[in-house]
Amino acid sequence: MAYRETEKMRQRKAEARKRIVDCTYQCVAEGGFRSARVTRIAGLAGVATGTIYRHFESREDLFAEIFRLATQREVDKVAEALASDGNAAERLERALRQFAERALKGPQMAWSLIAEPVDPKVEEERLAYRKAYANLFEKAIREGIEEGCIPDQDARQSSTCLVGAIAESLVGPLSPTQTSQATSTTEDNNDPLVNSIICFCMQGLTGTRR
Amino acid sequence: MAYRETEKMRQRKAEARKRIVDCTYQCVAEGGFRSARVTRIAGLAGVATGTIYRHFESREDLFAEIFRLATQREVDKVAEALASDGNAAERLERALRQFAERALKGPQMAWSLIAEPVDPKVEEERLAYRKAYANLFEKAIREGIEEGCIPDQDARQSSTCLVGAIAESLVGPLSPTQTSQATSTTEDNNDPLVNSIICFCMQGLTGTRR
DNA sequence: AGAAAGAATGAATAGTGATTCACTGCTTAT
DNA sequence: ATAAGCAGTGAATCACTATTCATTCTTTCT
């Protein structure tokens, strides 16, 4: 035997892979999945086109990984908000606000994750992550029902409705055709769009306005 | 001059166009937009491939028309339900139910209209139609607020949330990967899925459960 | 009939960009 | 130093259909 993969090599490969991932992320954040060309990604990452395929089965697989990374970040933020203190209704409200505000702050990526037409493998990820959000919400709703701050209801169904209501409300404002980077300094609970989404959602959950 | 378009010809062309439209509709209802090939459509309609292009600019344009036709049908049904009698809340509930039940009855087409990844021109139609639904709902919510059966709220925002909540709730059940044509005989207000969607939506609107 | 104009045809083309693969050049171990 | 084997390369290939257009067929009118 003459060549055996060594730690140094493993690391070098990992670095190349990370560069590819980062550059793809950047491309998607700039123009969405559809316009992210493999050749451009390779160029940015400083590798040859073929090298991409030493790290990923296909463009679709690469995209699926980017999708996972980007969405997991958001899911974690939502989970974090749901794990904070206060009663379940308050925590849910905080989580919903978190979600909406973060999306409005990074509109192109948010649009790609929520609404951009994507290939089947990526769409699969999207479905899975929507379910992930719904699961988090569902758990919180269950807790709320137990605590008594949320009336008894089909927690699974309500959570799905929450996901749909936020997503739909954001699609318009995020749509690349009409996004003017109107992100004001730091949103402190006073974006009227976010407020009225939350208002509907909380009433749907609790039956109590505002 | 020797040839002048005559009524007979006009009619014959209209028939061909209708055949093309019908066959495209059928293809989409069977396998969605993505798998509908121009050649197959032409074959079914009994015309040559090129003939399609005498009637439509492009495949995308043809699809956009099919989308419009199919969705307008649904929008009309919703409008109809909203124009029936009863107070605004009752009419809204009927409309939501109508929408959900019809979707579940024709799942492949409903999925294509609601969630299938489609080309830009068709996606534009989709956005437009989502707005059309929202507009109908918005008007009814306004009426409800005036009537007093719905509390004061941002009608536009609530209508968007309604559209999102229903659409999201249906995406899973309609998804072609898991649709078993489980459509029972005739749904008479007792599909539990539909009921719990409506329950959340009506509470979101009125603050009143059930 | 015959000529003019349009409609229909469908095999050939074109455009696109992902993917391949034969080759070059590094790394490793002896 | 050398052999063995893996990593990297990127121009060429491939796959896939929508779309075209030179040609043929129909219709209309004189």
Side-chain angles (χ1 to χ4, degrees), chain A residues 34 111 115 117-120 123 127 130-131 151-154 157-171 175 177-178 192-193 196-197 199-209, chain B residues 34 111 115 117-120 123 127 130-131 151-154 157-171 175 177-178 192-193 196-197 199-209:
Chain A
R34 173 167 287 220
W111 179 76
V118 291
D119 289 51
E123 186 65 33
L127 287 198
R130 289 205 168 204
K131 220 174 247 167
D152 189 40
Q153 62 196 281
D154 180 339
Q157 186 54 49
S158 294
S159 65
T160 305
C161 287
L162 285 184
V163 173
I166 310 187
E168 180 74 22
S169 298
L170 292 174
V171 167
S175 194
T177 55
Q178 43 187 295
L193 168 67
S196 48
I197 298 173
C199 180
F200 180 94
C201 287
M202 291 316 292
Q203 175 157 326
L205 284 173
T206 66
T208 312
R209 185 141 284 272
Chain B
R34 174 167 286 220
W111 181 77
V118 290
D119 290 52
E123 185 66 33
L127 287 199
R130 289 205 168 204
K131 221 173 246 168
D152 189 40
Q153 61 196 280
D154 181 338
Q157 187 53 50
S158 295
S159 64
T160 305
C161 287
L162 285 183
V163 172
I166 310 188
E168 180 74 20
S169 297
L170 291 174
V171 167
S175 194
T177 55
Q178 42 187 295
L193 169 67
S196 48
I197 298 172
C199 179
F200 180 94
C201 287
M202 292 315 292
Q203 175 158 327
L205 284 174
T206 66
T208 313
R209 185 142 285 272

Side-chain angles (χ1 to χ4, degrees), chain B:
Chain B
M1 96 218 68
Y3 178 93
R4 181 69 65 93
E5 186 182 64
T6 184
E7 188 48 41
K8 178 183 157 199
M9 262 297 115
R10 220 187 320 277
Q11 202 169 317
R12 188 183 291 184
K13 277 202 279 177
E15 273 161 25
R17 191 191 151 99
K18 184 163 185 316
R19 272 205 316 282
I20 293 170
V21 165
D22 290 347
C23 293
T24 308
Y25 192 99
Q26 186 190 329
C27 282
V28 174
E30 272 165 17
F33 288 104
R34 174 167 286 220
S35 77
R37 304 272 161 257
V38 174
T39 46
R40 175 165 156 69
I41 292 167
L44 282 177
V47 298
T49 333
T51 304
I52 304 272
Y53 291 88
R54 300 201 138 261
H55 293 273
F56 298 92
E57 272 301 296
S58 67
R59 181 176 114 118
E60 240 185 308
D61 279 288
L62 169 58
F63 283 179
E65 170 127 357
I66 299 309
F67 192 98
R68 251 175 267 130
L69 280 170
T71 308
Q72 189 61 53
R73 228 181 260 183
E74 300 305 311
V75 168
D76 288 346
K77 284 286 176 186
V78 165
E80 197 181 291
L82 286 175
S84 63
D85 53 2
N87 69 36
E90 288 165 355
R91 287 179 285 128
L92 269 163
E93 178 167 344
R94 232 173 282 144
L96 294 171
R97 191 178 294 282
Q98 175 88 232
F99 181 96
E101 281 175 359
R102 285 181 59 88
L104 290 171
K105 232 172 269 180
Q108 169 67 68
M109 179 54 92
W111 181 77
S112 291
L113 297 181
I114 293 173
E116 184 182 359
V118 290
D119 290 52
K121 267 187 189 164
V122 182
E123 185 66 33
E124 229 173 273
E125 296 292 328
R126 179 179 283 157
L127 287 199
Y129 273 103
R130 289 205 168 204
K131 221 173 246 168
Y133 283 119
N135 286 341
L136 289 176
F137 291 146
E138 184 183 350
K139 179 160 164 282
I141 293 172
R142 287 237 157 78
E143 288 165 9
I145 294 173
E146 206 140 316
E147 288 175 20
C149 64
I150 293 177
D152 189 40
Q153 61 196 280
D154 181 338
R156 165 129 289 273
Q157 187 53 50
S158 295
S159 64
T160 305
C161 287
L162 285 183
V163 172
I166 310 188
E168 180 74 20
S169 297
L170 291 174
V171 167
L174 290 177
S175 194
T177 55
Q178 42 187 295
T179 307
S180 52
Q181 65 293 18
T183 42
S184 64
T185 50
T186 36
E187 316 281 351
D188 17 59
N189 276 23
N190 54 13
D191 185 319
L193 169 67
V194 176
N195 280 331
S196 48
I197 298 172
I198 305 251
C199 179
F200 180 94
C201 287
M202 292 315 292
Q203 175 158 327
L205 284 174
T206 66
T208 313
R209 185 142 285 272
R210 264 251 153 250

